[in-house]
Amino acid sequence: MSDTEKFKRKQFGNRFLKNEEDVFKHNAWDNVEWNEEQESQALTQVCEHVRTKMSEEKATDLENNADQFWDKFYSVHQEKFFKNRCWLFTEFPEITSLYDRKSSCLLEVGCGVGNSVFPILAHSAQNSVHVYCCDFSSNAISILKTNPEYNENQCTAFVCDITADEWNPPFALESLDIILLVFVLSAIQPDKLKQTVKKFYEYLKPGGMILFRDYGRFDMAQLRFKEGRCISDNYYSRGDGTLVYFFTQNDVQEIFVGAGFQEIQNIVDRRMQVNRGKQLKMYRVWIQCKYQKPIL
Ligand SMILES: C[S@@+](CC[C@H](N)C(=O)[O-])C[C@H]1O[C@@H](n2cnc3c(N)ncnc32)[C@H](O)[C@@H]1O
């Protein structure tokens, strides 16, 4: 087993399906290999999505009003939709290592209602880490701020569209140790990624880290899309109007390395989730990456 393989297994859990007959004995299997037939079926589905794209007019309207669709999402679901990201500390030990420093700053971009922010605050007993967090949905930020665990000495939440030319954030250039991106870059227009990542570079300290986890190409959520939801290759609008892009490892590499970052990790996490009651197999694909701003 290669070092990368060992690392992957350690990080992503270690329940491996060795015998197909056992598939419905557990709720999930790690590091599932896809066979050629499965890959080619997925590709056929995705080509069909592109063939039945939505009109450009509709796509432009969805993109221009993206914040309003997320606002609606949070007014319907409040804080009940996403689960706390409890895997953060095993996948990203860089966060835990901040707690040992005298003082440090972390920014979570697209924080929603705080499913990463609150676990991070709870672990930071000494108040040594200041957590900044932003989202362009003002509803999400007000829900986050009314959480009894929100504490202004430790956390500053603000509304910000990260694709905008000006951010006006409550911190200085080159002041952040970590920027955390959890299922957020998939939600922005692919043609705005470059300018957005450039901003991340400007606000990180030299040596600072980007921690990224997001949807991967052919994830179950992509293959489930019906006709008329595709905007362009691997980029869709859900029924509620929110946008989602499905990344390859190469996509992420190009964006961050192209902006001057050094690649520390770029891996794909393929998991099979099983609905034992309905005897259903669901294939999840996530991309997890770490990039560092060089110390020049
Ligand atoms: C899939 S949710 C993930 C929320 C959170 N990171 C989590 O894991 O629970 C995507 C989030 O990105 C936010 N978002 C999308 N586009 C954004 C933008 N241009 N600027 C800031 N936030 C954005 C949405 O409002 C939403 O809260």
Side-chain angles (χ1 to χ4, degrees):
M1 203 190 296
S2 70
D3 280 355
T4 318
E5 198 62 15
K6 277 188 209 149
F7 177 72
K8 255 174 145 179
R9 293 190 174 199
K10 188 168 156 272
Q11 294 270 296
F12 293 138
N14 46 19
R15 183 175 289 131
F16 306 114
L17 181 62
K18 295 193 185 97
N19 187 346
E20 191 57 36
E21 285 168 17
D22 294 336
V23 66
F24 293 113
K25 288 190 180 160
H26 290 283
N27 294 328
W29 298 96
D30 295 301
N31 208 17
V32 176
E33 296 287 333
W34 282 41
N35 60 32
E36 265 179 43
E37 191 193 332
Q38 200 177 357
E39 288 269 354
S40 112
Q41 242 175 29
L43 190 62
T44 310
Q45 270 172 277
V46 167
C47 290
E48 189 56 22
H49 295 159
V50 179
R51 216 182 51 75
T52 59
K53 274 197 301 205
M54 70 174 61
S55 69
E56 266 184 41
E57 199 186 2
K58 190 169 171 193
T60 307
D61 180 56
L62 290 165
E63 289 177 338
N64 290 344
N65 298 300
D67 56 336
Q68 291 174 32
F69 289 105
W70 278 107
D71 258 344
K72 236 182 249 164
F73 173 92
Y74 287 112
S75 74
V76 173
H77 298 289
Q78 296 287 308
E79 76 293 357
K80 296 184 180 64
F81 193 85
F82 299 114
K83 293 194 188 111
N84 271 1
R85 309 298 186 179
C86 298
W87 46 263
L88 274 178
F89 304 101
T90 32
E91 301 303 334
F92 298 140
E94 293 79 2
I95 298 178
T96 323
S97 65
L98 288 186
Y99 301 140
D100 301 329
R101 298 193 199 166
K102 239 182 170 176
S103 86
S104 54
C105 294
L106 175 147
L107 166 69
E108 193 198 359
V109 159
C111 58
V113 294
N115 295 88
S116 299
V117 168
F118 292 113
I120 294 172
L121 290 175
H123 274 68
S124 170
Q126 308 303 321
N127 279 6
S128 60
V129 185
H130 196 90
V131 178
Y132 293 98
C133 56
C134 70
D135 201 288
F136 72 168
S137 159
S138 47
N139 277 350
I141 294 297
S142 22
I143 295 167
L144 187 151
K145 282 186 162 180
T146 53
N147 188 312
E149 288 168 46
Y150 182 75
N151 164 4
E152 282 189 356
N153 295 327
Q154 254 191 307
C155 183
T156 309
F158 59 105
V159 175
C160 174
D161 179 348
I162 53 161
T163 64
D165 292 336
E166 293 294 328
W167 277 17
N168 300 317
F171 45 77
L173 291 171
E174 301 215 316
S175 65
L176 302 171
D177 295 275
I178 287 181
I179 298 183
L180 181 63
L181 306 168
V182 180
F183 296 98
V184 58
L185 291 196
S186 55
I188 77 169
Q189 280 174 243
D191 60 3
K192 292 197 171 169
L193 280 174
K194 216 169 148 189
Q195 74 195 58
T196 306
V197 170
K198 196 165 163 256
K199 282 268 190 298
F200 297 159
Y201 193 93
E202 289 168 5
Y203 284 104
L204 269 179
K205 286 179 187 167
M209 295 286 295
I210 295 277
L211 305 178
F212 168 102
R213 189 166 166 93
D214 217 319
Y215 294 108
R217 186 73 42 88
F218 300 160
D219 178 61
M220 170 186 96
Q222 177 175 17
L223 300 183
R224 272 183 178 172
F225 274 106
K226 302 273 181 274
E227 279 184 16
R229 305 293 341 165
C230 181
I231 297 175
S232 60
D233 288 355
N234 307 301
Y235 176 42
Y236 301 79
S237 161
R238 302 185 182 93
D240 62 7
T242 58
L243 305 171
V244 59
Y245 181 83
F246 296 87
F247 291 98
T248 60
Q249 288 173 279
N250 266 350
D251 287 335
V252 187
Q253 183 174 64
E254 267 177 38
I255 299 161
F256 284 95
V257 174
F261 287 96
Q262 285 169 349
E263 187 166 88
I264 307 296
Q265 183 187 65
N266 182 327
I267 47 186
V268 57
D269 180 5
R270 294 179 194 278
R271 190 168 305 172
M272 189 205 296
Q273 293 172 343
V274 175
N275 182 327
R276 295 203 264 172
K278 294 186 182 157
Q279 300 266 298
L280 276 179
K281 295 180 203 169
M282 295 166 289
Y283 291 90
R284 305 309 317 252
V285 185
W286 295 293
I287 307 287
Q288 183 171 300
C289 302
K290 300 178 186 181
Y291 289 92
Q292 186 164 36
K293 176 168 171 173
I295 303 170
L296 296 173

